[in-house]
Every structure is written in C-alpha cells, then in structure tokens.
Amino acid sequence: MEAVRALLLTDIVDSTKLSEQLGNRAMGDVWAAHDRVARDLLPMWHGHEIDKTDGMLLMFDSPSDALHYALAYQQALAKLPVVLKARAGLHVGPVLLRKNGPEDVARGAKPLEVEGLTKPTAARVMALALGGQTLITDDVRQALSQGAWTLQSHGHWILKGLAEPLELFEAGLDAHAFVAPPDGEKAYRVARVGGQWLPVRQMANNLPQQTTSFVGRERERQQIRAALEHSRLVTLVGMGGLGKTRLSLRVAAEVMMWFPDGVWFLDLAPVRDPALVVGEAAQILGVREEPDKPLLQTLLTTLKRRRTLLIFDNCEHLIQASADLANAILRAAPQVSILATSREALHVPGEQSCPVLPLPLPERDAGLEALSRSTAVRLFVERAQSHKPEFALNEREGPAVAQLVALLEGIPLALELAAARVRAMSVSELNARLDDRYKVLTAGGRVLLQRQQTLRALVDWSYDLLDVSERILLNRLAVFVGGFDLGAAEQVCGAEPLQPADVLDLVTSLVEKSLVMTDEGERGTRYRMLETIREYAWEKLVQEGGAATIGARHCQHYFAFAKASNRGLRGSEQGSWIARVEAEVDNVRAGIALALAGGVDPIIAVKYAVAMQGFWIMRGYASEGRTTVHAALELSSIQSSEAAMGHALYVGAALAESQSDFTQARSMLERCLALRRALGDPIDIAATLSTLSWARFRTGDIDLARAGEEEALTIFREQGDRFGEAIVLLHLGQIAIWLGNDAQAQTHVKTSLALAQQLEHREIEAECELVVGQLEVENGAPHRARERFMRSLAISREAADKRGEANALWWLSKVDLRDRAIEVAGARLIESLRAFRTFEMRMELLGCLEDCAVLASLGARNGLAVQLAAAAAASRERLSLIRAPFGERDWQRHLAALRTAMGDTSFQTAWNEGRQIGINEAIQLAEKDLKGLSQLTSV
C-alpha cells in the first residue's frame, strides 16, 4: 500500500580515499562511530533505517523531522574524531513499502524495502550534493513546518531519468556556507526562456571561460546575489588583486537564469579613452551605429526591451564615463541590471556597494584541519598543485603555509603568484624572501594583463590613478604601523604642501579608492593599509626624501600620546586608556625604534620608556620594555646624561621587579639612587628609594627595606605627592605582613586603599584589596577574603589590568583549595599559570605551580604533587626567590604530610625526579593535570 513519506539518502564523500589513508582497522572504527551517531539520532526524529552502505536510506513520516535529522546528522559528523562529510538528498512522495519474509532476508534481502519514484528522485538529488550539503526538493519545502533552518534556492535542474525540472533548495543552519552544486552530465541547471527550459550554460552570454577553480567567497556571493535582487546597480569595490573580476563572473554564472536575454561582460581595463566606453558596450551587445543617431541612443533603445545583466569590469580609470553610461542605462532600460567592479564606487543613484576584502586568515595556532578549511590556504594549495602536482598540505608544510598566507594578507593575486614559485623553492624558503615581496611575486601567467603579472605592476596601476595630493598623503601614511586615527594622520601628515585640513578629504578619497581600509570600533574609526600597499608607499616616500621628516613627526606625535596615556593610566579611565594604547602599540614601537636608531634625539627613547612603564607591566610587555631600556643604556648620548641614565635605570629596574628579577633590579636602583641624590629632585629620590626598598624586601633585606620606605614616605608627604604616598603605604603594609605585625599591616594598607580610591587609581586600589584579602586569609576569615579577592578581580578587569587579574584569580584559587572546591580551583589555577608564564612573573608563577601541587595532592596524585613541588623548589633556589615566613611554615607542613602519605623512599624518589625536570616541563605537567581534571568534572 502506498503512503506519502519523506526519504533521506546520505553518502559519505571520499570514503575510499579515507580508507586508504587510515587502513582497514582504523576505518572500521570510523564507520562504527558514524553508524552510532546516525542511529542514535533516529529515535529523536522518528526515523526508520531502510538500507545501509557508505551512507544510509532513511524514511520519515514528516518532512520536517527528516530535515531536522539531516542537519543534526551533518553537525554530528563534523564533531567526530575523524571528521566526515556526507552529501544528503531529501524528497517527499508516495512510497510503496514491501516487507520481506525470513527466507528473503536469509538470502540477503532487506527486511523492509521501498519502491516507487520517490527513492530514485531522492538518490539523484543526493548525488548532486557536495560534501556537507543537504539538498531538498520543492515538494519538501512546501511540506515543511517552521524550523531553525535556512533555505536557499539553487534554481531548477534537469536530473537524469526525470521528465520535468526540479527546483532544488539547500538547507542549513548557516546560510553563509551555501554554495551552488556544479553542472554535470547527469544533472544541469536550466532556466525558462520564452516558454522553454534551456540549460543555463547555453544561455546567451560572453562570459570568459575560467581555466582554474573558484575557491571560497561564499558569504560575498550570497551578499551580492541578495543585492542584485534589490538594486539594479551593484558595485564590487576593493583594491587590485582581490579577485573582484573572478567574483563578478562567478556570481553572474550563478544568477544567469534570472536574465533570459543574457549576461554580457565588458572589460574596460584595455580602454584608455573615456569616449570609447559606449562603443565598447555597443560592440559586445551587437548594437550597430545608425545614421544620424547617437550610438548611446541606439544602445539604450536596444536594451529597453531586454532583461539583461551587464558586467562593467575595471571601471576605476574611467570612473566618470562608466558612471554616466550606467546611469543612462538604468534610467532607460528598466529590466537591465549592472554588476560593476572598481577601486571606488560609481556614485550613481540607487547604487549598492559591496566591499571585497582580502581572504580571511586562519588563526596563528591553527591546526591542520582548521588550515584545510581556510579559504586563503585552499586557494594557495590548489594553485600550488597546478604548478607542482605532488605539493600537499601536511603537518610539515602546514605552519609554513599558514605563515605565507598571513605574510601575503590573504590577497588572492599575491597567493597565486606565490604558488607559482613552489616549482623552484619550498614554502619556507619563499617566506624567507618575502621581505621584498615585489621582487619575489613576479610569476604571473603570460596571458594575464601586464598589471596582473606582478604584484608591483598591480599596485603601480592603482597608484598611477591618484592625483598628486593623494599620492603625497598615501606615501606619508606609510609611516603608521598597525593603523591610525584621523587626528594622527592630520598631525603627522598635514605638512607642506598639504595642510591638516586637507587630510580628511584625501583620506576619504583613498578609502573610496580601496587603498586605505577602515575599521569601526567603540572609539571611532581607525584606518589602516594592507602591508603590501604600505611597503610600496614607504618605498615611494623614501625615494622622494620625505621619510626622515615624516618619521620624526610620527615619533613626536606618539611620544605625546604615550605621555598622555601615562597620566590616563593613573585615573578612573585606566581601562579605556589601556585599550587606546593597545591599538597604538605598533606605532609606539616604531617611534622608539626611530629614537634608538638616531633618527631623532635618542633621549626620546628613554622618555618613551618612562611613559610606557605602567602599560608594559600591566599588559605583559615587560620583556620588550627591558630590551628597549638596555638598548638605550648602551647609547653614548644616554650615558652622557645623568638625568637620562637615572630614568633608564629606574624603568629598567621596575620592569625587572615585575618579572621577579630582584637582584638586577637592586643593582640598577642603587646606581639610580646615587645619580638622583646628586641631581637633588626629591620626588625622583623618593620613588627610587621606594622601588629599591621593594627589591631589598624581596631579597630578604627586611630592615633596610623598611627604613628606605619610611624615608620615601616622609619625602612624599613633604612634597604632597599622594600617589607616591599610597604606593609606599602599600609596601609598608606588605613588609608588616612579612614580619607578622597584622595590625600595623591593616593600618597601612587600608590607608593606602583610601588614598587610591580618592585618586581613582585602579591599579593600586586592586592591589590593596588583594593584600587586605591576604590578611583575612591569615586571620582565618576565608569568606571575607573571597569578597576582597573578587573585588580586586572586578577592579582589575574593569581597568584592563591583566597582571592584577591573574593575581586575583590565583588568590581566589587559594581560597577554593581551602574549601576543597577542586574544580573551580583548577580552572582558576590554569588561567593564572598561563598568565604568569606569559608575563614572566617568576615569583607568582612558582607560587602558582606549588598550588598546583597542593591541588594534585587533594586529588590523591601525590607523586605528581611532589614532582611539581621539587621543580618549583629548584627554580626558587636558582632565582634566589624566598618565601614569607608564614608561607614557608604552611608549605613545609604540606611537604611533611606528603612524605608521611607516600613514605620516605617514594617521596624522595619523586622529589629527585622533580628537581631534574625543567620549569617549562613542570608547567606542562601541571597544565595536563588541570586539563584532565576539567575534562573529568565536565563528564
């Protein structure tokens, strides 16, 4: 008896190839995982398994259930250890069910079989699908109830064995991933023209045939198709080399069925005279000039009755003529649409601009699987294989390919030119030569336009279209590294023959011409150039002799910015200033590099360091800052200035202290103090005394440390420096904790906290809350301690203080350990451990590692706990990092408990093993243990 059913057919793509790669045994495990996933989903969506081969034939009473199942099945396959991709076809119609008897089943028949046209129709739809794609027929679409899916029509198709075309839809949860299936011998797309179904590939057009595959751009293609449905002029805007022409041709092929009178491609690149544009358009459309009648009028008359798509390619050098022709056609021919490509928009009424950007880049640490999904990587690999068939993306080549696509910024033309080089060199060798990308990337095909044969020629083409003022500004903008805002461009580049007031219009023009890009953020618009364009423009600036002047202006501008940020980091807007400095850090680095190289007064490098000290410490740039300071200290101009030497030594010592290098900090600060006492500035003397006292404190010289802090406190109070007073009081509180004088510690730290709150200094406020919390821990009040630590964490996060955040998380984990909240403690420890390692905060890192040992012992992993403790002890000895007396007592009690639990022999064996492993290996062991704990508790 026939009944209407939904039939879903699936098939795993490339299963044979996968089996050859994995081997029969491993492939057996893959199939078992597939079958388990496929069958586990069936009850949820009321499905029935009819047949099973490399895929499955499944039956559902409801088309909606069938589609729900299909999408869940595709998602599940993508999450398997060995990722699988299935093509799926879904059709609904009458199905004849036939049950086979035991004898038939014994001879190999299926218990239940389906007959009728529904099954072969679903099979043909499935065969058309790509890997990971689910195609459905219009009958299914009409029978669907509401769901979370998105549907995209891929037009009407002739399928072998079926008399009438079927409209096919792709179903998915992410519309951006939709891609039209390719035509083949057994299936091809058709469009109705004059009452007849004609193959789309046979419709009238002059589209150039492409000899290489089109890779990616799914999101852009969908956006352009959607734009063409609502606007009759769509312009693809972007710099040269991004593939605007290929993209326009691909979209044109996909929408060809919308235009029964054809799709016509007009290449304007070879045309130099604007007066010839109309004639070129007429020629491709077969329009002949009529006597005593303007050719444009004849052209418009012809187009008035047509439903046609015109592609105007490469309009930028004929922008006005292209705009005039497009405007005339749109006014006269209501059924004609235009798809244009240009460096800038045509600015015709009704135009919809679609920006074309470089291909997105994979993450820096992307694995092989993620790389294989990257459009930029796929393009490079496919083109490389066309030049060197044996080239493959594998574990060996993966990192080099990832580096290459990043160096080339995802620019398709650059990737294609680079791919041609793999015939003669490895990708790693190619990367090493890309410092001069314009010499390396010159391997274009001979049939390409001359400007497309080398990257330099392509940029020359864009550069030559600029007027004099635009060229001057573009060259000067090359001084910026990592982007810039309008104010910076005006200050740095607005010098003769330009004025600051000229910059806005010129930047806008360069944006419109796709040579400068914009990024919209919370703090407004930032501008940037692709490195490919920036290198070119910088070379022009050097050739013109303007690099020194503009470089000096850039250095001075960002020095002023650094000074302003130093003040901003001491106030209530610390978080906002942190974000601003992060955005400009590359420009600051460029300014410092110029000063160190002698392009401006080298003392400016030291002034930069003073301004950047707080940022470097809070955001984990201390190593970079120390390198800057040591480079400055080597310069004779710095050595000859006692003031500059004093500043450099002080900043270098503060940075060293932030990384627990107290021995070097003490040495630098003792030199600094001698210089500053001679110079006589009381604030500088007090600051040096306080910072030196902290280094003395951390190296165990407690009495000298307290005396130095008390002298500094007196000076700061005499000078009315409340900021310095707050820091000294905090230090005195910490010294009092060390000495066991909790009452005095409370007094000092709470006074410091009150001052920090009055001054709105978030860094000191967060650290005071942390120290008060530590006092609460020692006083046996973990709940009050937790409140203080949470407050410190909130302040640090609001102020974007990553060091403070890591410290607060670490101390919270200590309270978690006391409460035996193992899972929460583990999560916080791993986050803190990673931050301390990144910031090279050695004292905190070792303390955190010791707490990882405590956590391991709570989980009965005593051997690991002892190894971690021994590794930390060896590093403490090597770095001369001591522990506070009360902390030392608690730690020794913990080690004694471990020794008792394990026995002397086992404990000593584990201890000796731990002392032999390096600190990085110990961190890896701790992270592995914490990850295992996380996975265990998530089950």
Side-chain angles (χ1 to χ4, degrees):
M1 178 178 179
E2 284 190 337
V4 175
R5 297 284 191 272
L7 292 185
L8 176 70
L9 270 82
T10 68
D11 178 51
I12 301 299
V13 300
D14 295 330
S15 59
T16 301
K17 181 179 179 181
L18 188 60
S19 181
E20 292 173 353
Q21 292 174 345
L22 298 178
N24 291 335
R25 176 175 293 182
M27 194 63 193
D29 294 337
V30 171
W31 281 126
H34 166 272
D35 295 350
R36 185 165 54 252
V37 162
R39 288 169 178 150
D40 286 350
L41 289 170
L42 281 174
M44 186 182 306
W45 304 112
H46 316 293
H48 306 278
E49 181 180 343
I50 305 299
D51 198 1
K52 167 72 175 69
T53 54
D54 281 0
M56 305 185 84
L57 169 61
L58 307 171
M59 184 175 70
F60 300 81
D61 292 336
S62 160
S64 294
D65 282 347
L67 186 52
H68 274 299
Y69 173 90
L71 298 180
Y73 167 72
Q74 297 279 27
Q75 282 188 311
L77 294 188
K79 295 177 181 178
L80 290 176
V82 176
V83 175
L84 298 176
K85 286 189 176 182
R87 48 185 179 174
L90 177 59
H91 183 50
V92 64
V95 171
L96 178 63
L97 299 176
R98 179 161 58 84
K99 292 184 178 180
N100 291 314
E103 295 180 358
D104 295 322
V105 173
R107 290 195 295 269
K110 302 296 180 183
L112 185 66
E113 296 195 44
V114 299
E115 296 180 349
L117 287 176
T118 302
K119 177 182 174 182
T121 301
R124 286 169 172 76
V125 173
M126 180 270 289
L128 184 62
L130 303 170
Q133 191 172 53
T134 299
L135 296 180
I136 68 173
T137 61
D138 189 46
D139 291 333
V140 174
R141 183 187 65 84
Q142 294 185 39
L144 290 174
S145 57
Q146 288 293 325
W149 48 69
T150 301
L151 302 179
Q152 170 72 52
S153 174
H154 286 315
H156 288 79
W157 292 75
I158 293 291
L159 303 179
K160 186 175 182 179
L162 301 182
E164 293 295 322
L166 289 180
E167 186 175 10
L168 299 182
F169 295 80
E170 183 174 352
L173 300 174
D174 181 8
H176 297 138
F178 290 168
V179 56
D183 284 3
E185 294 181 3
K186 297 180 180 179
Y188 53 89
R189 200 162 37 155
V190 294
R192 186 177 289 278
V193 180
Q196 296 182 350
W197 290 104
L198 295 180
V200 169
R201 59 194 176 197
Q202 294 180 9
M203 293 178 66
N205 73 89
N206 71 332
L207 299 182
Q209 293 299 309
Q210 303 303 312
T211 58
T212 55
S213 62
F214 188 91
V215 179
R217 297 288 195 192
E218 290 87 359
R219 181 191 297 268
E220 291 92 333
R221 284 150 56 190
Q222 184 191 29
Q223 291 173 339
I224 297 165
R225 289 195 300 265
L228 282 169
E229 292 187 51
H230 301 98
S231 175
R232 290 173 52 224
L233 172 59
V234 176
T235 304
L236 310 188
V237 179
M239 63 164 276
L242 295 181
K244 299 185 298 297
T245 299
R246 285 296 303 269
L247 180 57
S248 70
L249 294 172
R250 176 69 179 213
V251 172
E254 293 174 351
V255 301
M256 193 178 291
M257 76 289 293
W258 300 356
F259 302 98
D261 293 313
V263 176
W264 305 98
F265 177 77
L266 172 59
D267 182 8
L268 295 172
V271 181
R272 290 291 179 270
D273 186 350
L276 300 178
V277 170
V278 173
E280 291 292 320
Q283 183 176 355
I284 66 162
L285 289 166
V287 175
R288 299 289 181 264
E289 193 168 4
E290 297 179 5
D292 302 322
K293 192 174 183 181
L295 181 57
L296 176 60
Q297 184 179 345
T298 305
L299 176 64
L300 297 178
T301 301
T302 302
L303 288 174
K304 188 172 185 177
R305 297 182 298 274
R306 292 190 183 182
R307 188 176 176 186
T308 292
L309 174 66
L310 301 177
I311 302 174
F312 288 7
D313 190 44
N314 293 301
C315 298
E316 54 276 345
H317 62 301
L318 300 167
I319 197 74
Q320 189 60 54
S322 301
D324 291 342
L325 177 58
N327 189 45
I329 291 173
L330 295 177
R331 289 177 177 275
Q335 296 188 89
V336 173
S337 293
I338 299 172
L339 182 60
T341 74
S342 178
R343 306 289 198 280
E344 57 183 309
L346 303 187
H347 296 300
V348 171
E351 178 184 29
Q352 172 69 57
S353 293
C354 291
V356 180
L357 302 175
L359 299 174
L361 301 175
E363 297 292 332
R364 288 187 178 182
D365 57 350
L368 197 60
E369 181 185 332
L371 287 177
S372 66
R373 293 196 301 268
S374 163
T375 303
V377 172
R378 284 165 46 208
L379 176 64
F380 174 77
V381 170
E382 287 193 20
R383 297 301 187 261
Q385 288 171 341
S386 69
H387 297 285
K388 187 177 182 180
E390 66 271 22
F391 182 84
L393 181 68
N394 50 38
E395 294 290 349
R396 181 174 59 85
E397 291 284 5
V401 172
Q403 181 186 2
L404 180 135
V405 298
L407 287 171
L408 297 182
E409 304 174 285
I411 300 173
L413 177 64
L415 293 171
E416 298 208 21
L417 294 172
R421 290 291 189 182
V422 302
R423 290 173 295 192
M425 65 180 70
S426 70
V427 179
S428 296
E429 291 170 332
L430 185 55
N431 287 338
R433 294 172 175 266
L434 280 177
D435 284 342
D436 193 349
R437 68 192 70 194
Y438 290 109
K439 288 183 179 178
V440 175
L441 303 183
T442 58
R446 293 185 179 89
V447 297
L448 296 177
L449 290 174
Q450 182 178 358
R451 64 185 175 85
Q452 294 175 326
Q453 291 179 13
T454 72
L455 195 59
R456 173 175 289 281
L458 186 74
V459 182
D460 281 338
W461 166 269
S462 294
Y463 190 80
D464 290 344
L465 295 175
L466 302 177
D467 65 28
V468 173
S469 295
E470 289 170 336
R471 291 182 189 179
I472 292 172
L473 182 62
L474 183 70
N475 297 347
R476 291 178 176 181
L477 291 177
V479 75
F480 294 103
V481 186
F484 56 92
D485 58 30
L486 183 61
E490 290 171 335
Q491 290 296 315
V492 175
C493 303
E496 289 293 338
L498 304 181
Q499 297 297 322
D502 301 331
V503 172
L504 173 59
D505 287 342
L506 290 172
V507 167
T508 302
S509 179
L510 292 174
V511 169
E512 290 177 346
K513 291 175 170 61
S514 306
L515 290 169
V516 172
M517 305 172 75
T518 60
D519 294 316
E520 301 294 335
E522 294 181 0
R523 292 174 300 280
T525 302
R526 280 185 65 79
Y527 303 88
R528 62 184 172 90
M529 288 191 287
L530 290 175
E531 194 63 20
T532 299
I533 301 298
R534 197 182 80 83
E535 285 182 9
Y536 179 95
W538 179 254
E539 183 180 310
K540 293 287 187 181
L541 185 64
V542 171
Q543 289 173 355
E544 294 171 358
T549 301
I550 298 301
R553 293 174 67 92
H554 175 274
C555 179
Q556 290 292 342
H557 175 80
Y558 282 101
F559 171 53
F561 168 80
K563 286 199 299 183
S565 73
N566 188 35
R567 294 189 294 271
L569 292 179
R570 297 187 179 191
S572 59
E573 297 183 355
Q574 177 179 311
S576 174
W577 273 101
I578 286 283
R580 290 179 64 182
V581 181
E582 283 285 6
E584 302 292 3
V585 71
D586 288 326
N587 282 310
V588 170
R589 286 169 176 157
I592 292 172
L594 184 68
L596 289 174
V600 293
D601 184 355
I603 289 179
I604 291 178
V606 176
K607 293 181 178 180
Y608 259 115
V610 172
M612 293 295 291
Q613 174 189 315
F615 173 82
W616 281 338
I617 290 174
M618 281 188 283
R619 298 297 289 182
Y621 295 92
S623 293
E624 178 182 329
R626 293 178 75 179
T627 300
T628 296
V629 169
H630 287 300
L633 287 170
E634 294 295 320
L635 299 176
S636 58
S637 55
I638 305 300
Q639 295 170 357
S640 62
S641 167
E642 292 183 345
M645 279 291 289
H647 285 304
L649 288 167
Y650 181 84
V651 174
L655 295 169
E657 281 190 354
S658 76
Q659 295 185 324
S660 308
D661 191 351
F662 300 113
T663 301
Q664 183 178 92
R666 186 168 179 170
S667 172
M668 296 178 79
L669 286 164
E670 286 169 349
R671 292 173 60 197
C672 178
L673 182 61
L675 286 170
R676 286 184 163 181
R677 284 195 188 278
L679 291 169
D681 186 304
I683 296 296
D684 283 350
I685 293 169
T688 309
L689 274 169
S690 178
T691 308
L692 173 57
S693 296
W694 187 251
R696 289 168 172 168
F697 167 56
R698 284 304 189 184
T699 51
D701 201 343
I702 308 302
D703 291 338
L704 195 56
R706 182 169 55 182
E709 293 288 7
E710 289 172 348
E711 183 184 351
L713 181 62
T714 300
I715 297 173
F716 280 133
R717 283 177 170 169
E718 289 174 349
Q719 298 296 318
D721 189 324
R722 301 173 73 207
F723 167 70
E725 181 182 351
I727 293 178
V728 170
L729 286 169
L730 175 60
H731 288 176
L732 285 170
Q734 290 166 302
I735 291 172
I737 293 174
W738 182 285
L739 295 173
N741 192 338
D742 289 358
Q744 189 180 67
Q746 287 273 9
T747 300
H748 285 321
V749 176
K750 288 190 175 180
T751 305
S752 176
L753 176 59
L755 275 172
Q757 290 170 338
Q758 292 170 15
L759 296 169
E760 296 184 309
H761 196 296
R762 310 315 301 277
E763 183 186 3
I764 299 176
E765 182 184 358
E767 193 167 351
C768 286
E769 293 284 4
L770 200 67
V771 176
V772 174
Q774 294 167 23
L775 284 166
E776 298 289 7
V777 169
E778 295 306 316
N779 292 330
H783 296 300
R784 291 201 298 270
R786 185 184 296 277
E787 291 176 2
R788 291 291 188 169
F789 296 151
M790 290 298 295
R791 200 173 303 166
S792 178
L793 179 64
I795 294 168
S796 296
R797 283 179 169 167
E798 181 186 345
D801 181 354
K802 304 300 288 185
R803 284 176 57 91
E805 180 181 345
N807 269 318
L809 284 169
W810 177 34
W811 279 93
L812 278 167
S813 75
K814 288 177 176 290
V815 181
D816 297 330
L817 288 173
R818 288 192 176 212
D819 294 342
R820 292 184 176 271
I822 294 177
E823 299 90 344
V824 179
R828 285 174 172 156
L829 278 172
I830 196 169
E831 189 171 349
S832 302
L833 191 67
R834 288 171 174 170
F836 293 148
R837 178 173 56 184
T838 299
F839 288 11
E840 299 182 62
M841 298 165 65
R842 296 177 178 88
M843 177 171 282
E844 293 83 354
L845 175 65
L846 294 178
C848 191
L849 189 62
E850 288 162 350
D851 284 339
C852 290
V854 174
L855 181 65
S857 65
L858 290 176
R861 301 179 299 282
N862 291 339
L864 174 64
V866 174
Q867 287 182 328
L868 296 179
S875 290
R876 278 190 182 276
E877 293 168 13
R878 187 176 66 256
L879 297 171
S880 300
L881 297 177
I882 58 177
R883 192 183 287 106
F886 58 85
E888 184 66 28
R889 288 192 299 270
D890 290 345
W891 182 242
Q892 291 304 325
R893 281 196 294 267
H894 175 70
L895 293 181
L898 277 173
R899 183 183 290 274
T900 300
M902 295 179 66
D904 286 342
T905 302
S906 296
F907 178 93
Q908 197 60 46
T909 299
W911 185 266
N912 293 339
E913 291 173 350
R915 288 187 65 86
Q916 297 305 310
I917 66 177
I919 195 65
N920 288 328
E921 185 180 349
I923 292 170
Q924 290 172 1
L925 286 173
E927 286 187 332
K928 183 178 180 181
D929 182 58
L930 293 170
K931 287 179 182 176
L933 174 68
S934 173
Q935 292 167 359
L936 180 65
T937 56
S938 66
V939 174

